[in-house]
Amino acid sequence: MNYPVRGLLAALALGLSPVAAQDQAKINPTDPQPTCPMCPGTYIPLTELEAYTQKALAEKLLDQQVRDIDIGKARIGIGMVHRGRLEKPSPDSVAEHDQISEVYHVISGAATLVLGPDIANRQRRPATMRTVREFNGPGNNGSDIKDGIAYEIKAGDVVVIPAGTGHWFTKIDDHIDYLMVRIDPDKVTPLKSEAQSKEYLAKPAAKGE
């Protein structure tokens, strides 16, 4: 008799169900354990993502949070961003987030994006801003990125922006749409469910936030 079968028979002798006995026989408590035990997966259909882009165009919105999901040790935010034509950067439009890292996946359009950690004339973003409260947490704006690197980004490209790194759109040819993945290890932003997403899409977005 091999050892796994012997262990299973011993567990059955203790009154465990066959499934529980098999689980007990398989689990080794010295192995790494899941950091999000019994957490469900999350599916976001393309139709929902496209609804956010349509809403951005109809209501002249820029950044919208689709979901905010607890994955155990961190939260993951999924956002949709639409930016229109930009001939030159707006004043103090360098952005930096203290605790949340971001990943862009460009869906359509093209732009010049400057990245770098050395931000000139840092100004604290107001804690009352919706983007601070709900999307990307506390951070700063700035007027320039010293020794920043300019990237010409286009559909299909991916950009990774660590927390604390400045990012700055200096030119947008016509528009740029991108899916945003926000990594929030300190859980500074609130959760957003599928039901909350549907409720948000069903009515005009609040203004003046």
Side-chain angles (χ1 to χ4, degrees), residues 89-96 114-123 141-149 165-168 170:
S90 303
D92 301 318
S93 56
V94 176
E96 174 271 335
V114 180
L115 301 177
D118 194 354
I119 300 167
N121 302 314
R122 287 174 181 259
Q123 305 154 41
N141 287 112
S143 63
D144 197 358
I145 298 178
K146 300 174 184 176
D147 301 319
I149 300 175
T165 296
H167 40 292
W168 188 27
T170 57

Side-chain angles (χ1 to χ4, degrees), residues 23 27 74 79 88:
D23 288 344
I27 293 173
K88 62 179 182 179

Side-chain angles (χ1 to χ4, degrees), residues 10-139:
L12 289 170
L14 293 174
L16 298 175
S17 71
V19 173
Q22 287 177 356
D23 288 344
Q24 183 166 330
K26 290 178 182 178
I27 293 173
N28 184 345
T30 62
D31 286 345
Q33 300 300 306
T35 57
C36 195
M38 301 302 291
C39 290
T42 298
Y43 166 70
I44 305 173
L46 176 61
T47 53
E48 184 177 350
L49 298 174
E50 289 177 335
Y52 275 85
T53 299
Q54 293 163 7
K55 189 177 182 71
L57 291 169
E59 301 180 28
K60 294 181 171 55
L61 304 172
L62 191 153
D63 192 349
Q64 301 175 90
Q65 192 87 319
V66 179
R67 292 281 197 285
D68 208 308
I69 305 158
D70 194 331
I71 60 166
K73 286 189 174 182
R75 287 181 179 166
I76 295 292
I78 303 297
M80 290 292 286
V81 182
H82 170 81
R83 294 178 182 271
R85 180 178 176 83
L86 180 70
E87 294 184 359
K88 62 179 182 179
S90 303
D92 301 318
S93 56
V94 176
E96 174 271 335
H97 313 304
D98 296 337
Q99 295 164 282
I100 293 179
S101 300
E102 297 179 332
V103 179
Y104 298 174
H105 179 226
V106 182
I107 297 169
S108 66
T112 303
L113 177 65
V114 180
L115 301 177
D118 194 354
I119 300 167
N121 302 314
R122 287 174 181 259
Q123 305 154 41
R124 202 68 178 158
R125 303 177 78 199
T128 54
M129 288 179 63
R130 185 177 189 183
T131 53
V132 171
R133 291 186 288 108
E134 298 183 16
F135 300 172
N136 44 41

Side-chain angles (χ1 to χ4, degrees), residues 181-195:
V181 179
R182 293 182 167 111
I183 303 162
D184 178 8
D186 299 307
K187 302 186 177 183
V188 299
T189 57
L191 298 174
K192 185 176 181 181
S193 66
E194 179 182 2

